[in-house]
Amino acid sequence: MKLKAIVSASILFFVSPSIGTAQEATGCASGTRCLKVTKDGKVDAAGTFVAQCSGRFPDFIAPQARINGWAGERFRLSQNYPPADAGTDAPWRTIDFRTPEGADAYVLALRDYAYEGMIEADFRPEASAGRRWYHMPMMNFGSGSREFVHGLTEERPVTGPELGLKSGVRIRDFAVGFYNAAAATTIARVWAADDPSLVNTAFPPGSMSFKVLFSTAQAADFADGIDRLAGAPTWQIYENGQTIDVRLMQMDVAAAAPDTQTGWVFGTLAYDASAADTSTWRRMRPVGLSWGNDVGVKPSEIAAGTKKLQETIVSSLAPAFAAQHLGWAGRMNGPVDNPVSGCLSCHGTSQSPRAPLIPMNSCTTEDQKLFWFRNVPGSVAFGQVDQSTCQPSSSGNPMAALDYSLQMAVAVQNVLQFREVNPCAGADPMRTRLLRVWKGDFAVDDQIPPESDRIQR
Ligand code: HEC
């Protein structure tokens, strides 16, 4: 009796993966595999999520109910990551970004580099005749995960009166990031196997990434009724039978800069509704850039006029709504970014296991907050901070620096902390899990963190 049960169970085990059609979902692009999966990416005939596989990593994993009825294009993850790149296709590198004119030229050079061939391709790398662009894999889990039309992830919502919005009005924001070939060599190395390798996570010279950010904001959402995004490029996303228009508001750029303490220059652009460029994409104007955190400089000192920022340059071309929405003590930040931080202070927290992106509520004094505004090199982990005392702590877990990439941090966290799996690779989740325990990524009895622990902007 007992033996029979074991035998039939094992027959079932070996037979079930080939039952095939039971696991096929609907709603994917033609020529791709369309799998029924759980929200964690496990292939499961009873799963209510759909994974589209056109390569080794999923293009998207979305609830079946959300995509039903959509007949338009579907996102494809650009994932033929190059093993090597000379890093010489980087025209901005000869520009001195430390002067106001240089800063504008630098940000515009990065913008135009990102635009070449991509405007015509509507930012679908597979349709671009120009240079190759790549996406971060495994950003497919949790509430803000990649949607299926453009691969946008949901970003920080903004609630009025912030950004000039009517008090209490909340806008949603969505973005998709791209990496050039030099940067994609790091993705190739970290994601050579289903399990990320965190041995060498550095982005080489010549690396850059950019992110285009869209918002649901409409003219009527602003307190003065003036539409900051009049005429802006518009994309559609689709949720549960509803098409939602989102308009371009912000564009972020990040470029490896070996001659700085952080190793990076982060810059941003905002849509200027008064610009007359015929290509609406080219109405994006520099807001500015920063290459360091201005270590030690506090808001009280800026307010008193006793100190000035030396490592942030705000552009004279910045549209007013963006120039009025900078980061802590005026450090570089974008229109939808959290004003308690800045580009570099938030991105400097990129590590595995994750660190708090912004000062926690227990960090009330300016001196405590300064812990986030250090010029940490990309190869050094940010560290851990005690939730209740706001004191730097050593948690005992080894921490791996992720060189200022928060998309990398999201992807790595999904796999190592939330134990989400890649359905496209056909990996056996149980085997993968055992391997990770064996490698020491986590202990058998480690808890999966609560949803609130996911890295969010
Ligand atoms: C409070 C935190 C925070 C601030 C401030 C912030 N970011 Fe990010 N950023 C994130 C997170 C989280 C992600 C990854 C999630 C995603 O893209 O969906 C990200 C992703 C990016 C990416 C994609 C590349 C990568 O690997 O992370 C770029 C480029 C970027 N941000 C640039 C900027 C720039 C430029 C600024 C300032 C104008 C900025 N960010 C401000 C949190 C922040």
Side-chain angles (χ1 to χ4, degrees), residues 7 12 31 56 67 73 90 124 134 137 142 153 159 191 224 284-285 291 293 321-323 349 381 389 426 433 452:
V7 170
L12 228 155
R56 193 158 67 86
I67 69 179
E73 292 218 58
R124 297 185 182 277
Y134 305 88
T153 55
T159 307
W191 294 99
D224 57 11
M284 296 302 281
R285 293 288 184 268
W291 60 93
N293 277 306
F321 78 98
T349 65
T389 64
R433 192 187 140 88
S452 57

Side-chain angles (χ1 to χ4, degrees), residues 319-335:
F321 78 98
Q324 286 155 15
H325 190 281
L326 299 169
W328 202 58
R331 289 170 174 84
M332 191 37 56
N333 217 13

Side-chain angles (χ1 to χ4, degrees), residues 164-247:
L165 295 167
K166 283 182 187 151
S167 188
V169 163
R170 183 173 167 276
I171 56 168
R172 294 172 72 192
D173 301 301
F174 300 85
V176 56
F178 303 84
Y179 297 81
N180 73 353
T185 62
T186 301
I187 307 181
R189 196 167 55 237
V190 172
W191 294 99
D194 269 352
D195 258 8
S197 161
L198 306 184
V199 176
N200 179 0
T201 58
F203 288 91
S207 290
M208 85 78 91
S209 69
F210 76 94
K211 185 158 153 172
V212 283
L213 193 148
F214 296 76
S215 167
T216 58
Q218 300 293 321
D221 294 334
F222 293 98
D224 57 11
I226 296 173
D227 191 3
R228 273 63 167 178
L229 307 181
T234 305
W235 281 0
Q236 262 96 45
I237 58 174
Y238 186 79
E239 283 178 357
N240 310 321
Q242 265 203 314
T243 304
I244 303 171
D245 278 353
V246 290
R247 296 184 296 168

Side-chain angles (χ1 to χ4, degrees), residues 39-122:
K39 68 175 178 34
D40 296 319
K42 297 187 184 85
V43 177
D44 183 342
T48 56
F49 281 62
V50 180
Q52 175 178 301
C53 307
S54 63
R56 193 158 67 86
F57 294 103
D59 300 317
F60 59 80
I61 297 180
Q64 179 81 63
R66 183 173 303 167
I67 69 179
N68 286 344
W70 174 254
E73 292 218 58
R74 282 159 190 74
F75 176 70
R76 282 183 190 242
L77 189 86
S78 178
Q79 53 178 305
N80 290 324
Y81 311 116
D85 183 82
T88 46
D89 177 22
W92 61 88
R93 287 185 69 189
T94 52
I95 302 171
D96 177 10
F97 51 78
R98 289 176 172 87
T99 68
E101 305 72 38
D104 283 346
Y106 193 87
V107 171
L108 288 171
L110 288 165
R111 182 197 77 171
D112 293 343
Y113 176 87
Y115 280 178
E116 230 178 281
M118 286 289 264
I119 293 178
E120 301 74 24
D122 202 25

Side-chain angles (χ1 to χ4, degrees), residues 136 139 153-155 175 177 179 203 209-211 250 252-254 266-268 332-334 337-338 341-343 346-347 357-358 404-408 410 455-457:
M136 185 63 70
M139 293 182 69
T153 55
E154 189 152 4
E155 309 280 314
Y179 297 81
F203 288 91
S209 69
F210 76 94
K211 185 158 153 172
Q250 179 176 340
D252 288 339
V253 291
F266 274 61
T268 192
M332 191 37 56
N333 217 13
D337 295 317
N338 196 327
S341 187
C343 313
C346 192
H347 278 262
L357 265 53
I358 54 171
Y404 284 77
S405 172
L406 280 170
Q407 291 207 339
M408 187 69 93
V410 169
I455 297 172
Q456 266 170 356
R457 186 155 160 154

Side-chain angles (χ1 to χ4, degrees), residues 232-456:
T234 305
W235 281 0
Q236 262 96 45
I237 58 174
Y238 186 79
E239 283 178 357
N240 310 321
Q242 265 203 314
T243 304
I244 303 171
D245 278 353
V246 290
R247 296 184 296 168
L248 183 66
M249 179 187 271
Q250 179 176 340
M251 176 174 181
D252 288 339
V253 291
D259 57 343
T260 62
Q261 286 182 325
T262 58
W264 289 93
V265 174
F266 274 61
T268 192
L269 304 103
Y271 184 77
D272 185 349
S274 71
D277 309 63
T278 10
S279 160
T280 53
W281 284 93
R282 295 196 186 273
R283 297 180 187 167
M284 296 302 281
R285 293 288 184 268
V287 180
L289 55 70
S290 69
W291 60 93
N293 277 306
D294 277 287
V295 179
V297 179
K298 305 172 192 177
S300 56
E301 295 166 331
I302 296 288
T306 53
K307 282 196 184 160
K308 276 199 158 74
L309 295 180
Q310 307 289 337
E311 297 177 331
T312 275
I313 294 179
V314 179
S315 173
S316 58
L317 304 173
F321 78 98
Q324 286 155 15
H325 190 281
L326 299 169
W328 202 58
R331 289 170 174 84
M332 191 37 56
N333 217 13
V336 314
D337 295 317
N338 196 327
V340 305
S341 187
C343 313
L344 283 168
S345 47
C346 192
H347 278 262
T349 65
S350 178
Q351 64 172 25
S352 176
R354 71 159 294 180
L357 265 53
I358 54 171
M360 301 101 64
N361 292 339
S362 57
C363 310
T364 50
T365 68
E366 288 188 332
D367 284 311
Q368 286 176 322
K369 294 182 209 273
L370 281 175
F371 188 69
W372 275 260
F373 299 87
R374 294 171 292 147
N375 285 342
V376 188
S379 57
V380 175
F382 175 82
Q384 290 297 354
V385 192
D386 188 282
Q387 286 282 347
S388 52
T389 64
C390 187
Q391 289 304 305
S393 70
S394 51
S395 67
N397 278 332
M399 287 167 275
L402 298 175
D403 200 5
Y404 284 77
S405 172
L406 280 170
Q407 291 207 339
M408 187 69 93
V410 169
V412 167
Q413 186 197 38
N414 283 343
V415 174
L416 294 187
Q417 290 188 270
F418 285 94
R419 311 204 190 149
E420 272 132 356
V421 296
N422 171 4
C424 305
D428 174 352
M430 189 50 95
R431 184 174 165 275
T432 311
R433 192 187 140 88
L434 288 173
L435 263 174
R436 286 185 197 146
V437 171
W438 178 72
K439 278 186 11 194
D441 287 339
F442 48 73
V444 186
D445 56 357
D446 268 3
Q447 300 284 313
I448 294 183
E451 274 305 296
S452 57
D453 225 35
R454 280 191 199 273
I455 297 172
Q456 266 170 356

